[in-house]
Amino acid sequence: MKLSILIPSVCLVGVMATGCVSNKKFAELQSTNTKLQQSNEQLNQRLQASESDASGGKIRIKSLEEQIAAEKANAVALQAALNKCLNSSSQGNVNISKLVDEINSSNKYIQQLVNAKNKSDSLNVVLTNNLTRSLSQQEMSDVDVQVLKGVVYISLSDNMLYKSGSYEISDKAGATLSKIAKIISDYSNYDVLIEGNTDNVPIAKPNIRNNWDLSALRASSVVQALQTTYKVDPKRLTAGGRGEYNPLVANDNEAGKSKNRRTQIIITPKLDQFMELIGKAPAETKP
């Protein structure tokens, strides 16, 4: 292809060698030569592009051939696995039977867990009903009672019980504490823990060092009110403060802080009473 580029030039030289030609004729020959050179260059570029496409096609063909070979090998492996499975069908039946037994055992265990939860829920209902039976529906609306794993939690906000930033019990707390005393007195053998909790805002009072003091003093105020005003046996009562270190929610806004400022009254049955309550729980229902 490169030799073809030289042909027009050689011809031009040959013409010039035979004799002189007019300038016009020479210009035409020169223009023709230039066009032939450009055409030749375009043909060379097309040839190179064709050779590049052909090379890429060969690469793609090789890749496809490799994929076909891999798929054929995979098909052979799958056929071998199928043949092995068919030849060991009896062993496969044994494995299937074992798997079914394991599934049945797992389902049985799950059902046992469900029955245990139902038993626990029934026990909590019995305990709640027994402890709150002395309260009317209207009184219950002022007292939040929850039972978790056989333990009764009565939560009261600080706004209900105390003057702001103080451990002194407010006048409006009397009605609420009388209801709590009814619950405590109804089961005279239960232990009672009064637990104070605060938010994370430091207390600024000359006679209170920190939130530990505030929470403990508030719990002590409730204990002494139950003892002196409502005649609860002090041997059953325990006062404790947890400061700011037992929050229900984050203290990042006023609503959260208000929820964390609370006094919990925790009523715990002794072991013999707890076992008696288990016997009172309704029998589990079979599915």
Side-chain angles (χ1 to χ4, degrees), residues 224-284:
Q224 293 180 62
L226 291 173
Q227 174 187 354
T228 57
T229 305
Y230 303 104
K231 310 305 178 184
V232 177
D233 185 356
K235 295 179 182 179
R236 301 172 53 202
L237 301 174
T238 300
R242 302 193 66 175
E244 63 196 72
Y245 301 105
N246 185 37
L248 293 176
V249 296
N251 284 295
D252 52 7
N253 55 57
E254 186 54 41
K257 292 176 182 178
S258 177
K259 192 170 185 178
N260 290 329
R261 295 192 299 268
R262 70 197 188 281
T263 297
Q264 279 193 314
I265 300 176
I266 305 172
I267 304 174
T268 307
K270 294 184 175 66
L271 182 59
D272 53 347
Q273 285 90 20
F274 189 78
M275 296 306 295
E276 181 182 352
L277 285 170
I278 291 178
K280 293 180 180 179
E284 61 188 52

Side-chain angles (χ1 to χ4, degrees), residues 172-185:
K172 64 181 180 180
T176 301
L177 288 180
S178 67
K179 300 169 189 177
I180 302 302
K182 288 181 182 179
I183 297 175
I184 296 174
S185 299

Side-chain angles (χ1 to χ4, degrees), residues 34-284:
T34 301
K35 291 180 180 179
L36 288 174
Q37 288 181 355
Q38 291 175 349
S39 177
N40 187 64
E41 182 66 25
Q42 291 175 356
L43 290 173
N44 282 332
Q45 292 176 357
R46 290 174 62 184
L47 175 61
Q48 292 176 2
S50 298
E51 289 176 346
S52 177
D53 291 342
S55 176
K58 290 179 180 179
I59 294 174
R60 288 193 294 272
I61 291 172
K62 184 177 180 181
S63 175
L64 290 172
E65 289 175 345
E66 291 175 350
Q67 293 181 26
I68 291 171
E71 290 300 326
K72 288 181 177 179
N74 187 42
V76 172
L78 290 174
Q79 184 63 47
L82 177 59
N83 293 337
K84 184 177 179 180
C85 181
L86 293 174
N87 292 334
S88 60
S89 60
S90 59
Q91 181 63 37
N93 290 335
V94 172
N95 292 337
I96 292 173
S97 177
K98 183 178 179 181
L99 179 60
V100 171
D101 290 341
E102 291 177 354
I103 292 173
N104 290 336
S105 177
S106 177
N107 288 337
K108 183 178 179 180
Y109 178 64
I110 291 173
Q111 188 59 49
Q112 290 175 348
L113 293 178
V114 171
N115 292 340
K117 182 182 182 300
N118 292 338
K119 184 83 171 181
S120 176
D121 292 342
S122 299
L123 173 60
N124 289 343
V125 170
V126 170
L127 188 57
T128 301
N129 291 337
N130 286 341
L131 288 173
T132 60
R133 65 187 182 185
S134 61
L135 303 179
S136 66
Q137 289 296 324
Q138 183 176 0
E139 288 174 327
M140 281 295 297
S141 65
D142 297 327
V143 180
D144 181 23
V145 180
Q146 295 183 0
V147 179
L148 301 175
K149 298 181 181 180
V151 179
V152 180
Y153 296 86
I154 304 173
S155 185
L156 306 172
S157 68
D158 66 330
N159 292 332
M160 179 184 295
L161 289 176
Y162 315 104
K163 298 177 181 178
S164 178
S166 171
Y167 57 86
E168 295 182 10
I169 296 178
S170 64
D171 297 335
K172 64 181 180 180
T176 301
L177 288 180
S178 67
K179 300 169 189 177
I180 302 302
K182 288 181 182 179
I183 297 175
I184 296 174
S185 299
D186 202 26
Y187 281 80
S188 58
N189 293 325
Y190 280 42
D191 292 328
V192 182
L193 169 63
I194 313 299
E195 181 184 275
N197 295 269
T198 71
D199 58 25
N200 64 346
V201 178
I203 187 69
K205 296 286 184 179
N207 59 334
I208 303 176
R209 292 174 296 180
N210 48 43
N211 284 334
W212 280 113
D213 278 359
L214 179 61
S215 62
L217 287 169
R218 285 182 167 180
S220 178
S221 295
V222 174
V223 164
Q224 293 180 62
L226 291 173
Q227 174 187 354
T228 57
T229 305
Y230 303 104
K231 310 305 178 184
V232 177
D233 185 356
K235 295 179 182 179
R236 301 172 53 202
L237 301 174
T238 300
R242 302 193 66 175
E244 63 196 72
Y245 301 105
N246 185 37
L248 293 176
V249 296
N251 284 295
D252 52 7
N253 55 57
E254 186 54 41
K257 292 176 182 178
S258 177
K259 192 170 185 178
N260 290 329
R261 295 192 299 268
R262 70 197 188 281
T263 297
Q264 279 193 314
I265 300 176
I266 305 172
I267 304 174
T268 307
K270 294 184 175 66
L271 182 59
D272 53 347
Q273 285 90 20
F274 189 78
M275 296 306 295
E276 181 182 352
L277 285 170
I278 291 178
K280 293 180 180 179
E284 61 188 52

